């Protein structure tokens, strides 16, 4: 039998030969032997506690490395559970491969175990969905899955494997031999478009750069830093564009976001989409006459919600360097004493003054701003921050700084809750291999933590020193204090009177550590928060949980607009 190979081994070896390193999943019939074959091939297998978390972890590896990881699931419900994660990766444009076991082909149509039309059901959530017709053709489809997941706009590939195909043995000589997928091709911009963009910038009085997560994924940090510093341009990062240029950089005007968007007369948009996160690029959030220079890998993204003045398709690093070269040839630079910089700096300082007052209030029950400020003072400046929740994520974004690219992962374009712990698992594994000693801080709202809290066990199993911080306001958006909660429910049917946004008051999430013979931290004051963070940073072989009770009525500072631009229909 030495000259034969079964489908499990063919698939594992094909993935390994294409450079796939990580597999996340939950095993069962018919993929148990496949998971073992993957380990035997040299891949890292990480067993999670639910399929959604496994899918979130796999796509986070894709964002951090540019190489897809595998999410491995069982048939039927196993695959159905990852569609939310597949959609999240597809919309965020992160590469990932989902592999689903399925019922044996001779059981199809007669009520096989977990029988499901998996290839068809997966198709709306990915770029490529297929069942290889024979084990010998598996390497061909693995190569295509990797290629389509990484080329062009990155996304998801789905491969479906009936149990009988995985167990079937075929002669080695019949197995297709496929070359490794080369790196994605580099797209160069149209020089005429670059010159047009440079002309707009040199004629503008109030230019602004917006940095999206596409710039982070494209590793464009050096090129963008050169452009911004050489030309003295103000910039705004989108949430996962944070750190491409440091949040601490003098040219970062994130505290003046509303004024920057409203007043800019020219916007250079790098790897960001004019969707809900940027208010569709429309008034009143944006100047109605603003000229938008949009840079993206995907031409279909251009002119999506409003027409761009100049649309440049190309690799962001190359486009950025080309624009800088054109501007440098004209010796153009935004004067630091311009009225535009004066306006932005004034708004930045005004916002910092407002936030400083909120930070200064350390009386219990605590507010978001003082909690995040004192966490920021203690965590390493190069930490990877994974975050989810409503106010927890949004306010944390403004106060927890990123100085390096690809060091913030959050709910993203799809606004997906439940991503945090899976993202943190992937980030910690990435740190183990590529940046030993770097820490991962997972900042969760209490509602968000509930989506995948049992992944704490996964973190213990794989010795991942993730610091989980639960900002606990007793609800979704916000809950109630104990007296109000009791008064609402006293003598009544809880299903009729408990507000849909309310959760149980002061749940002791920190006590989950006792399941593993450890002790968590429950904090109600700033000194307790500080001590908990310091002690957690000393732990190097397991996760920590810091549960911080805050005022259930705590909210973000007043905003000039609703957070979500309203429809005019």
């Amino acid at each position: 039998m030495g000259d034969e190979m079964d489908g499990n081994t063919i698939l594992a070896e094909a993935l390994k030969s294409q450079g796939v390193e990580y597999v996340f999943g939950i095993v069962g019939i018919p993929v148990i032997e496949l998971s073992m074959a993957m380990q035997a091939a040299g891949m890292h297998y990480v067993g999670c506690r639910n399929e959604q978390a496994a899918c979130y972890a796999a796509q986070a590896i894709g964002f951090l490395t540019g190489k897809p990881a595998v999410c491995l699931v069982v048939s039927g419900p196993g695959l159905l559970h990852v569609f939310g994660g597949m959609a999240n990766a597809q919309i965020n444009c992160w590469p990932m491969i989902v592999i689903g076991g399925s019922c044996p082909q001779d059981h199809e149509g007669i009520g096989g175990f977990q029988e499901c039309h998996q290839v068809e059901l997966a198709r709306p959530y990915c770029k490529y969905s297929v069942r290889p017709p024979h084990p010998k053709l598996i390497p061909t489809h693995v190569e295509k899955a990797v290629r389509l997941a990484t080329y062009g706009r990155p996304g998801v590939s789905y491969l479906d494997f009936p149990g009988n195909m995985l167990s079937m043995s075929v002669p080695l000589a019949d197995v297709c031999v496929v070359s490794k997928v080369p790196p994605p091709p580099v797209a160069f911009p149209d020089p005429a478009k670059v010159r047009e963009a440079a002309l707009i910038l040199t004629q503008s009085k109030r230019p602004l750069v917006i940095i999206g997560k596409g710039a982070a994924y494209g590793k464009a940090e050096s090129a963008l830093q050169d452009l911004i510093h050489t030309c003295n341009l103000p910039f705004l990062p989108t949430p996962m564009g944070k750190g491409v240029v440091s949040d601490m950089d003098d040219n970062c005007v994130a505290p003046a976001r509303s004024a920057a968007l409203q007043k800019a007369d020219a916007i250079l948009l790098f790897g960001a989409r004019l969707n809900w996160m940027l208010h569709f690029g429309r008034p009143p959030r944006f100047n109605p006459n603003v000229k938008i220079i949009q840079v993206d890998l995907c031409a279909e993204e251009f002119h999506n919600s409003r027409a761009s003045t100049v649309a440049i398709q190309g690799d962001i690093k190359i486009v950025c360097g080309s624009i800088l070269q054109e501007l440098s040839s004209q010796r153009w630079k935004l004067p630091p004493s311009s009225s535009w910089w004066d306006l932005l700096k004034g708004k930045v300082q005004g916002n910092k003054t407002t936030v400083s007052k909120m930070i200064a209030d350390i009386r219990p029950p605590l507010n978001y701003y003082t909690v995040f400020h004192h966490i920021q003072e203690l965590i390493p400046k190069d930490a990877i921050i994974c975050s989810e929740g409503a106010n927890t994520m949004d306010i944390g974004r403004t106060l927890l700084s990123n100085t390096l690219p690809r060091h913030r992962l959050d709910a993203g374009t799809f606004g997906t809750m439940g991503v945090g712990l899976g993202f943190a698992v992937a980030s910690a594994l990435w740190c183990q291999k590529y940046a030993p000693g770097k820490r991962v801080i997972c900042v969760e709202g209490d509602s968000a933590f509930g989506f995948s809290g049992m992944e704490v066990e996964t973190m213990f199993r794989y010795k991942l020193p993730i610091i989980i911080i639960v900002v606990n306001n007793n609800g979704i958006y916000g809950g109630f204090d104990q007296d109000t909660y009791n008064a609402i429910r006293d003598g009544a049917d809880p299903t009729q009177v408990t507000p849909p946004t309310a959760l149980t008051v002061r749940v002791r999430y920190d006590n989950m550590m006792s399941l593993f013979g450890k002790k968590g931290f429950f904090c109600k004051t700033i000194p307790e928060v500080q001590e908990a963070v310091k002690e957690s940073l000393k732990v190097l072989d397991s996760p920590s949980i810091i549960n911080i009770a805050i005022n259930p009525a705590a909210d973000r500072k007043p905003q000039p607009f609703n957070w979500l631009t309203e429809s005019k229909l």
Side-chain angles (χ1 to χ4, degrees), residues 320-389:
C320 195
S322 299
I323 291 175
L324 176 57
Q325 185 176 16
E326 190 69 27
L327 293 173
S328 297
S329 70
Q330 302 179 42
R331 298 184 179 180
W332 182 84
K333 180 178 182 179
L334 183 65
S337 58
S338 66
S339 59
W340 182 224
W341 267 118
D342 290 344
L343 171 67
L344 293 173
K345 288 178 180 178
K347 293 290 185 181
V348 166
Q349 188 55 51
N351 182 73
K352 288 182 176 179
T353 300
T354 300
V355 171
S356 294
K357 294 177 182 177
M358 303 178 80
I359 289 171
D361 182 6
I362 62 171
R363 299 167 298 173
L366 301 172
N367 68 67
Y368 288 102
Y369 292 86
T370 190
V371 166
F372 288 133
H373 170 76
H374 288 91
I375 291 171
Q376 173 66 37
E377 285 192 323
L378 294 173
I379 62 175
K381 298 298 182 284
D382 68 344
I384 294 179
I385 298 172
C386 304
S387 184
E388 60 176 329

Side-chain angles (χ1 to χ4, degrees), residues 271-464:
R273 288 170 279 186
L274 291 176
N275 55 19
W276 68 272
M277 297 185 79
L278 284 174
H279 319 292
F280 312 106
R282 298 174 183 172
R285 299 295 190 99
F286 283 67
N287 177 349
N289 299 313
V290 65
K291 295 182 178 179
I292 294 178
I293 303 161
Q294 189 172 5
V295 181
D296 204 286
L297 271 177
C298 181
E300 289 84 353
E301 190 57 44
F302 296 140
H303 318 297
N304 186 46
S305 58
R306 67 171 291 170
S308 298
T309 311
V310 181
I312 306 177
Q313 183 181 16
D315 180 273
I316 290 175
K317 296 192 297 292
I318 303 299
V319 176
C320 195
S322 299
I323 291 175
L324 176 57
Q325 185 176 16
E326 190 69 27
L327 293 173
S328 297
S329 70
Q330 302 179 42
R331 298 184 179 180
W332 182 84
K333 180 178 182 179
L334 183 65
S337 58
S338 66
S339 59
W340 182 224
W341 267 118
D342 290 344
L343 171 67
L344 293 173
K345 288 178 180 178
K347 293 290 185 181
V348 166
Q349 188 55 51
N351 182 73
K352 288 182 176 179
T353 300
T354 300
V355 171
S356 294
K357 294 177 182 177
M358 303 178 80
I359 289 171
D361 182 6
I362 62 171
R363 299 167 298 173
L366 301 172
N367 68 67
Y368 288 102
Y369 292 86
T370 190
V371 166
F372 288 133
H373 170 76
H374 288 91
I375 291 171
Q376 173 66 37
E377 285 192 323
L378 294 173
I379 62 175
K381 298 298 182 284
D382 68 344
I384 294 179
I385 298 172
C386 304
S387 184
E388 60 176 329
N391 288 337
T392 296
M393 181 178 67
D394 294 338
I395 299 172
R397 182 185 301 147
T398 65
L399 289 171
L400 299 177
S401 299
N402 291 99
T403 59
L404 296 171
R406 298 170 296 282
H407 277 54
R408 179 184 170 87
L409 295 91
D410 67 18
T413 307
F414 210 31
T416 307
M417 291 296 104
V419 298
L421 274 68
F423 282 179
V425 166
S427 298
L429 290 165
W430 180 88
C431 290
Q432 283 184 346
K433 181 165 186 176
Y434 297 101
K438 187 184 290 287
R439 300 309 298 267
V440 176
I441 315 296
C442 184
V443 184
E444 299 277 301
D446 51 327
S447 173
F449 180 72
F451 280 78
S452 53
M454 278 311 300
E455 296 306 324
V456 171
E457 189 274 330
T458 305
M459 297 173 184
F460 267 99
R461 200 173 350 122
Y462 294 103
K463 300 181 179 181
L464 303 177

